[in-house]
Amino acid sequence: MENLGVFPVYGLVFKIGTKGKASKESDMNEIADMESFEISIDGGVQDWTPMTTKGWARSLMTSKKFKVSLKGKRNIGDPGNDYVASVAWKDGLDCGTKASIEFPDGATLKYDCVLDVKSVYGGDSTSVAPLEFDMVGDGRPVYTPAGGTVAGE
């Protein structure tokens, strides 16, 4: 069935490699109990004003970076959730891993990232413990549109 139009956010699937940068497809696990997310993309644009443009600036996108922020609940026993929570106490290369997003239309985004865990555990006595983190892109992601070819190839 062809997916057209709008879709609910809960149709996205977030996976994390539980073996760090050495993760293979079999090590990719969904991250349980995530409630919200945001993808932010920041482009590095360089501007210059050559004499030939008579004061009008030229611009070129010279770099890109992205971040995927997820917020949810701490689910002890879920492999993806446990892996992210364990990185809270690590640094350096131990925070690097692989990740992917599967979109409801069939498109995918696969990327290496650095996990930056913001909140794990905590809250008042009647709260469910949080798990909040950023997956900061480490290099160029691979976006494959639904039924399409890898972007940039």
Side-chain angles (χ1 to χ4, degrees):
M1 180 174 153
E2 192 173 329
N3 278 325
L4 298 174
V6 299
F7 54 85
V9 172
Y10 66 72
L12 281 81
V13 176
F14 296 91
K15 291 185 178 180
I16 197 82
T18 56
K19 299 272 194 307
K21 291 269 181 104
S23 296
K24 297 183 178 6
E25 194 59 39
S26 60
D27 302 315
M28 300 299 289
N29 286 277
E30 192 168 351
I31 308 166
D33 288 313
M34 293 297 97
E35 297 177 289
S36 65
F37 86 100
E38 177 182 346
I39 299 175
S40 56
I41 303 168
D42 185 21
V45 176
Q46 185 172 351
D47 299 320
W48 71 98
T49 309
M51 302 245 191
T52 57
T53 61
K54 301 195 185 315
W56 288 93
R58 297 207 49 216
S59 301
L60 181 66
M61 180 75 63
T62 59
S63 66
K64 289 265 193 171
K65 62 182 177 178
F66 72 100
K67 174 174 66 174
V68 179
S69 301
L70 287 149
K71 292 182 179 182
K73 301 300 181 197
R74 178 68 179 101
N75 183 324
I76 297 172
D78 173 73
N81 197 296
D82 286 346
Y83 179 79
V84 171
S86 75
V87 174
W89 316 113
K90 298 178 181 178
D91 64 7
L93 296 176
D94 291 335
C95 295
T97 191
K98 296 183 179 296
S100 67
I101 304 172
E102 298 170 6
F103 298 93
D105 67 354
T108 60
L109 183 68
K110 295 183 179 186
Y111 52 96
D112 288 350
C113 64
V114 173
L115 289 176
D116 184 6
V117 179
K118 304 288 187 181
S119 180
V120 60
Y121 302 113
D124 61 41
S125 65
T126 60
S127 294
V128 176
L131 181 61
E132 299 176 4
F133 59 98
D134 293 337
M135 295 186 282
V136 181
D138 184 14
R140 185 178 187 164
V142 176
Y143 177 75
T144 306
T149 317
V150 174
E153 292 187 342

